[in-house]
Amino acid sequence: MTDTDNISGKVVVITGASSGLGEAAARHLSARGAPVVLGARRADRLKALVEELTRAGGKAAAVTTDVTDRAQVQRLVDAAIRSFGRIDVMINNAGLMPQSPLGRLKTAEWDRMIDVNIKGVLYGIAAALPYMERQKSGHFINVSSVAGHKVRAGGAVYAATKHAVRVISEGLRQEVKPYGIRTTVISPGAVDTELPESITEPDVAERTKKMYAEQAISADSFARAVLFAMSQPDDMDVNEILYRPTKQDF
Ligand SMILES: NC(=O)c1ccc[n+]([C@@H]2O[C@H](COP(=O)([O-])OP(=O)(O)OC[C@H]3O[C@@H](n4cnc5c(N)ncnc54)[C@H](OP(=O)(O)O)[C@@H]3O)[C@@H](O)[C@H]2O)c1
């Protein structure tokens, strides 16, 4: 790609980069010449990915990060500045989906989803926003879901967290106007990742995994959406991309 594609050379921080959507985005971005800084808890996965991207000629760094810890998210973003001098894009992607009907009272899982899916995104904003304000440029890409638009029985808390991501992103969009910062929400439907593994209720897990096996599409779909949003000229702010597998029936 040329230097004018608005991707090459951009420093991109990705949370939840050890699998699924974050990992796919890291591969596509690195192949297009963007230095990537990868955060997640599984250090071995991150290390292997950094090695793979570096061998292929990319620039990549990893910081073991639990997004429920504000200081760790700050360390991740600070590492981008230290390694590459700036942060152009913050992809707040880390998340989990232990769905179950409310009546099963899986309150620890509700807490966990709120901590990772909502507070993790807020901590990502808190860590990157001051740098972007100083730079007077930047781009937040926050990952919501079809569940950020629709609530279905058995998915109330997950849907609430994904609605929250959209609400926070819309507030952010309006507030960062003076700084030339762009904000994008990406709301995927079923994508083939490890996400259903976070479901602990056997009947819910079985139903969800069956649906994913029949309908989910590749994580490359998410990476392509990221590339689309990033590659637009700076005066175009792609605020949301909502997509589903063509087969998806909800
Ligand atoms: N797949 C789908 O169908 C789909 C659809 C709509 C939206 N989404 C959203 O896409 C995002 C990525 O999910 P995915 O589908 O790629 O699932 P995934 O393969 O399970 O990936 C989830 C990622 O989040 C990370 N993560 C989980 N808890 C974390 C924590 N406390 N701190 C840091 N990282 C954490 C995981 O890394 P570690 O375990 O190594 O920490 C992993 O890298 C999530 O926000 C999910 O809600 C997915």
Side-chain angles (χ1 to χ4, degrees):
M1 290 307 293
T2 67
D3 286 342
T4 56
D5 66 1
N6 230 355
I7 293 171
S8 180
K10 276 190 173 165
V11 178
V12 185
V13 175
I14 308 173
T15 67
S18 59
S19 65
L21 307 188
E23 182 181 8
R27 286 212 172 87
H28 281 249
L29 287 164
S30 187
R32 300 276 292 257
V36 291
V37 181
L38 313 176
R41 291 164 306 166
R42 286 171 293 178
D44 51 337
R45 295 264 200 122
L46 294 181
K47 184 166 174 279
L49 185 55
V50 165
E51 282 168 6
E52 175 195 320
L53 300 180
T54 308
R55 260 198 316 275
K59 290 184 185 154
V63 179
T64 309
T65 308
D66 184 331
V67 297
T68 65
D69 181 337
R70 159 124 172 66
Q72 292 188 34
V73 183
Q74 190 65 57
R75 266 206 302 279
L76 171 68
V77 170
D78 290 348
I81 309 296
R82 214 173 34 253
S83 304
F84 302 115
R86 54 188 290 112
I87 172 171
D88 296 297
V89 185
M90 179 75 197
I91 306 184
N92 287 308
N93 163 71
L96 75 168
M97 185 185 69
Q99 294 186 325
S100 59
L102 291 166
R104 298 198 193 170
L105 307 185
K106 307 282 285 187
T107 54
E109 293 185 349
W110 304 348
D111 287 344
R112 189 83 193 139
M113 280 189 276
I114 289 165
D115 287 347
V116 177
N117 299 4
I118 303 179
K119 289 191 191 169
V121 170
L122 287 169
Y123 294 160
I125 292 169
L129 185 55
Y131 287 120
M132 291 184 183
E133 286 181 349
R134 277 200 292 279
Q135 290 171 180
K136 288 215 176 308
S137 73
H139 191 170
F140 285 96
I141 299 180
N142 296 333
V143 181
S144 178
S145 170
V146 165
H149 291 260
K150 283 192 166 197
V151 57
R152 302 176 83 213
V157 179
Y158 180 70
T161 66
K162 292 302 179 178
H163 277 71
V165 171
R166 291 182 54 237
V167 170
I168 291 162
S169 301
E170 173 57 14
L172 180 67
R173 182 189 73 74
Q174 295 177 34
E175 291 179 17
V176 295
K177 290 288 133 189
Y179 307 101
I181 297 169
R182 303 193 289 180
T183 61
T184 302
V185 177
I186 301 184
S187 295
V191 179
D192 183 18
T193 69
E194 296 170 22
L195 196 67
E197 300 298 329
S198 61
I199 302 171
T200 58
E201 292 291 278
D203 57 332
V204 181
E206 193 189 326
R207 244 191 341 268
T208 307
K209 285 179 185 172
K210 183 169 179 291
M211 185 278 283
Y212 269 67
E214 289 165 1
Q215 300 187 359
I217 55 174
S218 149
D220 290 339
S221 59
F222 173 77
R224 293 194 303 271
V226 169
L227 293 179
F228 174 77
M230 280 176 59
S231 63
Q232 300 312 308
D234 290 340
D235 64 0
M236 176 169 167
D237 190 8
V238 178
N239 298 131
E240 181 160 9
I241 298 173
L242 167 61
Y243 75 91
R244 295 172 171 82
T246 308
K247 280 186 187 168
Q248 185 169 325
D249 52 11
F250 59 91

